[in-house]
Amino acid sequence: MKIRLIMMLALMFIGLNGIAQDKAKSKIVKFKTSAICGECKERIEESLNYTKGIVYAELDIDTKVIEVKYKTKNLNAEKVKYLVSQVGYDAGETPRNEEAFNKLPKCCKSEGFCKRPGE
Amino acid sequence: MHQKIRIGVLLLTFFVFHNLTYAQEHNEIEIQGKVVTIKKGIEEPIPYVKVKCASSDHVAITKEDGSFQIHLHELPDTLMIKAVGYELMAFVVEQEGKDVVVNLKDGSMLKGVTVFGRNLGKHIDLKDPFNVEKIGQDELRKAACCNLSESFETNASVDVNLTDAVSGAKKIQMLGLDGVYTQLQWENIPLIRGLSTSYGLSFTPGTWIESIQITKGTGSVVNGYESIAGMINLEVKKPSESERLYVNLYGNKFTRGEINVHGAQRINDKWSTMTFLHASNQFNETDVNKDGFKDMPVGFLGAAMHRWDFRGKNMESRFGIKGTFADKDGGQLGYNSSSDPTFPKWGASFKTTHLEAFGKMGIFMKNRPKGSLGIVNQLKYHQMNNVFGNSTYSGTQKKWYSNWIYSDIIGNTNHTYKTGASFILDDYSQTYNDSTFLKTEIVPGAFFEYTYKHLEKFTLVAGVRADYHNLFGTLFAPRLHAKWNPSKKSALRFSVGRGYRVPNPYSDFNSLMASSRTWIVDPNIVPEDGISSGVTFTQKFLIKDEVSTFSVDYFYTHFLNQLVTDLDVSPNEVHIYNTTGTSFSHAVQAELALKLTKTFEFRIAAKYYDVKAEFGGELQQKAFVPKYRVLLNSGYKTRNKKWEFDLTANWVGKKRLPSTASNPIKHARPDESVDYWVLNSQITYRMKKFSFYIGAENMLNVIQQNAIISADDPFGPYFDATQLWAPISGVNIYAGLHFDIKHKKK
């Protein structure tokens, strides 16, 4: 009983692990973004991680570099950058989507972030 | 009726103060803050940096420890910070009264702000003079079920045990000492005190909790004379920060179902409100260990809370109401409180009504820029009717708690103090079988706490409080806490202090009624009195840029006077009396928390408890406290954060058990338990708005066989359902979901 249960659980872990990180035909791309804070990191990662074809997206806020692993069947590097730009951030050479940028909270926009004198 | 009037008075006080502070006009707001840079998880202050206010000419230069003070005209305002080698940074100050922490990035990087209070699973702050362990959301979600008693499942400092084989209630232990010696609060309002001590942990649903802070040993004098073994403070979810709507569903194999719904509304910049609803029900009777008794009582528990937050210019306030209602039946299969009296079954029923109104206020002083006044008020009504076989217990507690705290600096911010006064009115009415006990406690008290800081490296907190108890006279509690950082990554802490507790034996040890033991209680019960001292060392280190922690602590608690529940005199008696005889606890704990990669965490903790007390003229190991315990916890999160796997293992060593040697052989049990492992695991899958979890508890199916002594003759002289040292129901499988709609950030 005990042993069976442990084995079942172990199998479950391994099995789910396999689903979670499908190693078949995927590539890693790294590029710099215009993210500035923890909120930005959360927004970009969340948006990408829930997109089909993305294995994982991880942003280092110190270097602003994002590491994205994607499935070549669904995406390519350009499409990944496009996805980031649609959240409202510059992605490598791809400029941000201004509309999405304007909707960001003020802590994510360096300009709107400052309250200027007399404003 | 009585209650309503009191609430009225409370609200009145609130509005009077509200108007008062609004009549004052501020010209200048002093903001205090710190400029730091975070390198590999370690905070380093940046001295001699220019901090300029955007709307005026005010300029401040940071001191050696990175701190600065600046005056602003109105909020929000922007601080411009420029330091050589760092990016120019603009920082918006929106709120007064909070210390500003500005995190500068190296010149090669762009500006950024570190928002403090990140959602860390579990961590120990190196700066706090008190050794406070914080359990955050990540950690709390590792145990999806159900209420506060499960929230400590992955924490090494707090042990959780079942109280008896009937009520399904759990109790905590800290430093090897019973949970009654740990002071429980929520947002610095008393949470579990008086009659709610025995079953109160189940009244706070887990999903209401934002975070938990655990302090070993005595806490701050500001919060009262209690907390001998430790102090636990909960932060409940705040209206200004929580989800618009949150729903949680839970169900397990033993037909227990739970639902939690809460939501926050932000009315405007100043006002916000939040409503919490909780219902849990045990539908069917289960009896895994086949002793004819329900493993868990069948029945319902409902809880609700409605709270308001107000954030003004010079004052903040939080107030609201809370209520819990529980009705459960335990005992033999087929028993419920309305069953036929001609075929008696041994049953236990638990009916509780708990109502509470609370109000907190913080007022910033106009003429003293660092001065602030905090006022906490609480009104509580707690009523419970419990039946254990032929024994009945009922108790009512009415309570008013008030605490006024003024804090300010002496000269500069290196010297700060908190002083104030508190008032407690507790009115108890308890009935056990035919005896009635009435008691009114009136306890006014005063306290003073001084904090000295030297260069962030050394902090000393010296506090003293005196309370006058109408029944027991003066209770004097001095306490001292000190912290020293030998390096930036380590902290050494020392604490010593005295604490008291006024016992209510019939409710504190209510679960002992689940036996045929006759209660022999000394009529002259006096407060328990203990001195606790401890040393803690914490070292942080880096493994591949990820922060890992090693900590070790030793606490010694010595009771000058303790209430003893002596189960060893005879198997059918419980003797409860005060003793000034030797009673102490030595507790050693070592914990290593490793973050091996970005996705994998591992924690191991080992504990040694030597808890002894002199009873019957003999120094004996405290019953039901294991000498050794081990906790293992590992967590793995996929890099896309969609999957989360957790595995927790608890090893519980041998425990001494009260002697049952004089019983007939059939009803005698060994004097020592065997050691066992409890293994829990949970898997969570996250989606944007939903997350699903499935988990298993007690996976090794550990069951204490024949846990209830004389289960076949519950009205007989040998019946005892309190000799519990291991789980009584086997593997539990549960599943559920979280759903949330967040507020949009501005």
Side-chain angles (χ1 to χ4, degrees):
Chain A
M1 174 72 194
K2 282 179 193 176
I3 293 164
R4 215 175 60 198
L5 205 103
I6 295 169
M7 275 180 60
M8 233 170 67
L9 211 96
L11 272 173
M12 208 151 74
F13 268 67
I14 295 162
L16 288 170
N17 228 334
I19 301 168
Q21 294 205 336
D22 192 353
K23 285 183 179 69
K25 287 181 191 160
S26 50
K27 267 188 178 171
I28 291 177
V29 61
K30 286 186 191 183
F31 52 89
K32 205 164 175 175
T33 67
S34 57
I36 52 171
C37 61
E39 174 74 20
C40 307
K41 175 179 157 75
E42 229 170 82
R43 278 169 182 267
I44 297 174
E45 286 182 355
E46 193 168 276
S47 169
L48 262 67
N49 279 331
Y50 294 118
T51 305
K52 199 184 167 197
I54 300 275
V55 181
Y56 67 79
E58 247 174 28
L59 182 89
D60 182 349
I61 199 67
D62 286 337
T63 60
K64 297 161 60 183
V65 170
I66 190 165
E67 181 180 328
V68 184
K69 189 170 180 180
Y70 60 94
K71 288 180 192 153
T72 48
K73 195 176 83 185
N74 309 80
L75 295 167
N76 58 39
E78 284 316 302
K79 277 186 187 162
V80 170
K81 286 177 190 168
Y82 173 77
L83 287 172
V84 174
S85 73
Q86 292 308 299
V87 187
Y89 297 92
D90 296 339
E93 58 283 359
T94 311
R96 70 187 181 211
N97 177 320
E98 283 299 327
E99 211 175 302
F101 174 78
N102 289 331
K103 281 183 190 158
L104 291 176
K106 65 181 170 196
C107 62
C108 292
K109 297 186 263 193
S110 47
E111 288 90 345
F113 186 54
C114 311
K115 183 180 181 267
R116 301 205 183 283
E119 197 180 327
Chain B
M1 197 59 228
H2 208 53
Q3 214 63 25
K4 269 187 187 164
I5 295 165
R6 282 183 181 170
I7 297 166
V9 172
L10 181 89
L11 289 181
L12 194 75
T13 358
F14 164 67
F15 283 114
V16 168
F17 273 99
H18 179 179
N19 291 336
L20 236 166
T21 45
Y22 255 62
Q24 303 173 348
E25 267 302 314
H26 257 247
N27 287 326
E28 287 215 330
I29 304 146
E30 193 187 57
I31 295 293
Q32 139 164 256
K34 215 175 142 182
V35 179
V36 298
T37 182
I38 292 187
K39 281 182 187 154
K40 295 189 172 177
I42 308 297
E43 191 185 293
E44 284 179 20
I46 310 177
Y48 316 118
V49 177
K50 206 184 213 182
V51 179
K52 195 183 164 302
C53 171
S55 62
S56 68
D57 302 332
H58 291 176
V59 172
I61 306 283
T62 59
K63 290 184 198 154
E64 214 149 85
D65 60 353
S67 69
F68 66 88
Q69 288 174 18
I70 195 162
H71 290 263
L72 305 178
H73 286 299
E74 58 166 357
L75 293 178
D77 202 336
T78 305
L79 298 177
M80 309 299 286
I81 299 133
K82 174 78 189 120
V84 179
Y86 297 89
E87 288 275 336
L88 171 71
M89 157 122 170
F91 189 94
V92 177
V93 183
E94 295 194 36
Q95 220 192 320
E96 205 181 337
K98 275 190 178 167
D99 280 5
V100 172
V101 177
V102 183
N103 176 16
L104 291 187
K105 301 280 168 144
D106 278 342
S108 55
M109 304 156 195
L110 216 92
K111 55 205 151 194
V113 182
T114 297
V115 181
F116 266 57
R118 248 186 318 149
N119 199 1
L120 294 166
K122 169 189 177 288
H123 80 287
I124 298 171
D125 186 350
L126 291 180
K127 300 267 181 274
D128 199 319
F130 295 88
N131 183 40
V132 183
E133 262 183 84
K134 293 186 183 81
I135 306 179
Q137 276 293 304
D138 282 3
E139 192 72 17
L140 287 169
R141 288 217 174 167
K142 282 185 182 178
C145 183
C146 295
N147 54 54
L148 182 57
S149 53
E150 276 91 11
S151 303
F152 304 109
E153 223 150 67
T154 56
N155 180 275
S157 300
V158 181
D159 301 319
V160 184
N161 299 303
L162 276 171
T163 55
D164 56 80
V166 173
S167 68
K170 288 179 178 169
K171 64 178 175 187
I172 57 163
Q173 264 174 15
M174 274 182 86
L175 308 180
L177 296 168
D178 195 284
V180 296
Y181 302 113
T182 299
Q183 186 178 8
L184 276 126
Q185 313 192 113
W186 72 282
E187 296 172 16
N188 295 317
I189 303 169
L191 178 72
I192 292 171
R193 203 175 170 279
L195 299 192
S196 56
T197 307
S198 40
Y199 306 106
L201 287 175
S202 61
F203 296 170
T204 304
T207 58
W208 293 13
I209 305 168
E210 174 69 43
S211 68
I212 303 177
Q213 292 115 44
I214 302 166
T215 315
K216 280 186 184 175
T218 52
S220 163
V221 291
V222 172
N223 296 306
Y225 56 74
E226 281 149 340
S227 85
I228 298 171
M231 163 112 99
I232 294 172
N233 184 50
L234 311 183
E235 291 293 325
V236 174
K237 287 190 175 155
K238 311 276 184 301
S240 53
E241 289 146 25
S242 299
E243 305 91 349
R244 204 174 337 171
L245 176 70
Y246 170 89
V247 181
N248 163 244
L249 296 173
Y250 168 93
N252 75 13
K253 154 187 164 187
F254 301 124
T255 67
R256 176 172 172 154
E258 303 223 347
I259 178 165
N260 286 291
V261 179
H262 35 81
Q265 283 103 48
R266 289 170 211 169
I267 292 158
N268 53 36
D269 283 354
K270 289 184 173 123
W271 289 94
S272 53
T273 173
M274 190 161 179
T275 309
F276 300 77
L277 295 168
H278 164 86
S280 78
N281 200 58
Q282 173 74 34
F283 291 95
N284 298 334
E285 298 181 337
T286 55
D287 182 20
V288 175
N289 56 356
K290 301 270 178 276
D291 57 4
F293 278 74
K294 296 171 214 171
D295 297 334
M296 289 289 281
V298 171
F300 175 79
L301 187 143
M305 177 158 97
H306 183 60
R307 67 182 298 182
W308 287 81
D309 266 25
F310 171 80
R311 282 186 187 179
K313 227 176 179 183
N314 304 316
M315 73 94 84
E316 284 177 9
S317 178
R318 288 174 182 163
F319 57 95
I321 47 168
K322 178 160 110 159
T324 312
F325 169 80
D327 186 355
K328 294 181 180 185
D329 287 319
Q332 283 186 304
L333 297 170
Y335 169 87
N336 65 62
S337 38
S338 53
S339 54
D340 188 356
T342 49
F343 300 101
K345 281 195 166 162
W346 195 96
S349 79
F350 307 91
K351 289 191 174 69
T352 308
T353 309
H354 181 106
L355 298 169
E356 199 175 312
F358 58 90
K360 281 178 69 171
M361 207 170 0
I363 301 163
F364 305 108
M365 295 292 137
K366 193 191 169 197
N367 44 356
R368 305 272 315 163
K370 292 274 176 261
S372 70
L373 177 68
I375 304 164
V376 182
N377 269 297
Q378 181 196 33
L379 293 170
K380 195 169 106 170
Y381 170 81
H382 186 93
Q383 212 279 329
M384 59 182 182
N385 286 307
N386 299 342
V387 175
F388 295 89
N390 291 332
S391 302
T392 55
Y393 167 85
S394 70
T396 306
Q397 181 187 6
K398 290 172 199 150
K399 177 180 184 154
W400 175 37
Y401 169 83
S402 188
N403 197 12
W404 297 58
I405 308 145
Y406 178 76
S407 61
D408 207 340
I409 56 167
I410 309 168
N412 60 46
T413 49
N414 287 336
H415 307 271
T416 55
Y417 70 90
K418 283 180 183 169
T419 185
S422 67
F423 181 80
I424 301 169
L425 175 77
D426 260 321
D427 183 51
Y428 293 99
S429 158
Q430 298 179 83
T431 311
Y432 174 56
N433 293 338
D434 304 327
S435 326
T436 300
F437 311 93
L438 299 173
K439 180 167 79 163
T440 303
E441 293 182 9
I442 299 168
V443 194
F447 56 86
F448 183 86
E449 187 182 78
Y450 164 75
T451 305
Y452 170 70
K453 256 197 248 175
H454 179 72
L455 291 177
E456 295 282 318
K457 267 190 174 169
F458 179 76
T459 310
L460 182 89
V461 182
V464 62
R465 74 172 289 137
D467 293 85
Y468 181 77
H469 196 291
N470 66 324
L471 303 174
F472 306 110
T474 308
L475 304 173
F476 181 71
R479 288 171 190 185
L480 189 74
H481 293 83
K483 177 226 69 177
W484 176 54
N485 295 108
S487 75
K488 274 174 187 151
K489 292 181 192 168
S490 56
L492 186 67
R493 290 184 179 86
F494 169 78
S495 83
V496 60
R498 189 170 181 179
Y500 300 88
R501 196 183 84 88
V502 177
N504 295 294
Y506 290 98
S507 69
D508 293 349
F509 306 108
N510 202 261
S511 67
L512 292 177
M513 290 180 190
S515 71
S516 300
R517 288 179 191 264
T518 309
W519 283 55
I520 298 157
V521 182
D522 187 332
N524 301 310
I525 293 232
V526 297
E528 297 178 81
D529 177 356
I531 293 173
S532 182
S533 54
V535 225
T536 310
F537 177 72
T538 312
Q539 175 77 49
K540 294 197 175 184
F541 55 96
L542 295 172
I543 301 175
K544 282 191 256 164
D545 284 359
E546 304 291 336
V547 183
S548 292
T549 313
F550 172 74
S551 64
V552 58
D553 61 51
Y554 164 68
F555 279 83
Y556 171 65
T557 310
H558 181 86
F559 283 94
L560 302 169
N561 192 324
Q562 191 182 23
L563 187 80
V564 172
T565 46
D566 191 342
L567 301 170
D568 286 289
V569 179
S570 158
N572 51 24
E573 285 174 357
V574 50
H575 292 251
I576 299 179
Y577 52 88
N578 279 96
T579 173
T580 51
T582 315
S583 175
F584 61 81
S585 138
H586 291 281
V588 182
Q589 179 180 323
E591 183 169 352
L592 181 65
L594 295 172
K595 192 153 190 217
L596 294 170
T597 66
K598 271 184 184 168
T599 52
F600 184 72
E601 283 177 307
F602 179 75
R603 212 155 75 218
I604 177 163
K607 289 173 281 181
Y608 168 76
Y609 296 136
D610 184 20
V611 187
K612 285 199 174 100
E614 190 181 305
F615 30 121
E618 202 186 331
L619 194 64
Q620 295 192 64
Q621 193 71 29
K622 204 89 196 270
F624 301 115
V625 180
K627 265 203 154 173
Y628 300 95
R629 283 187 82 129
V630 174
L631 173 95
L632 297 165
N633 176 266
S634 61
Y636 172 75
K637 221 187 228 182
T638 57
R639 291 180 81 169
N640 58 17
K641 299 175 189 77
K642 280 186 191 164
W643 290 94
E644 219 177 302
F645 306 89
D646 274 289
L647 186 67
T648 309
N650 250 301
W651 179 77
V652 183
K654 287 175 191 165
K655 304 171 183 176
R656 186 183 81 81
L657 303 174
S659 172
T660 45
S662 62
N663 278 355
I665 302 222
K666 194 183 156 200
H667 301 312
R669 297 284 185 273
D671 287 346
E672 201 176 49
S673 70
V674 292
D675 61 304
Y676 60 90
W677 284 92
V678 176
L679 233 67
N680 299 334
S681 181
Q682 187 175 302
I683 297 165
T684 311
Y685 176 67
R686 280 174 215 276
M687 299 201 310
K688 242 180 178 169
K689 288 196 162 60
F690 284 95
S691 68
F692 300 92
Y693 57 87
I694 177 164
E697 288 168 337
N698 190 10
M699 292 191 293
L700 299 179
N701 203 28
V702 173
I703 297 174
Q704 181 185 344
Q705 295 303 330
N706 300 315
I708 299 177
I709 301 177
S710 176
D712 49 356
D713 182 17
F715 293 101
Y718 304 111
F719 174 72
D720 194 347
T722 66
Q723 304 293 301
L724 210 66
W725 47 265
I728 47 167
S729 50
V731 186
N732 178 21
I733 308 280
Y734 63 88
L737 63 88
H738 303 281
F739 168 75
D740 60 45
I741 303 176
K742 289 195 177 78
H743 273 284
K744 270 192 186 154
K745 280 210 174 130
K746 280 178 193 164

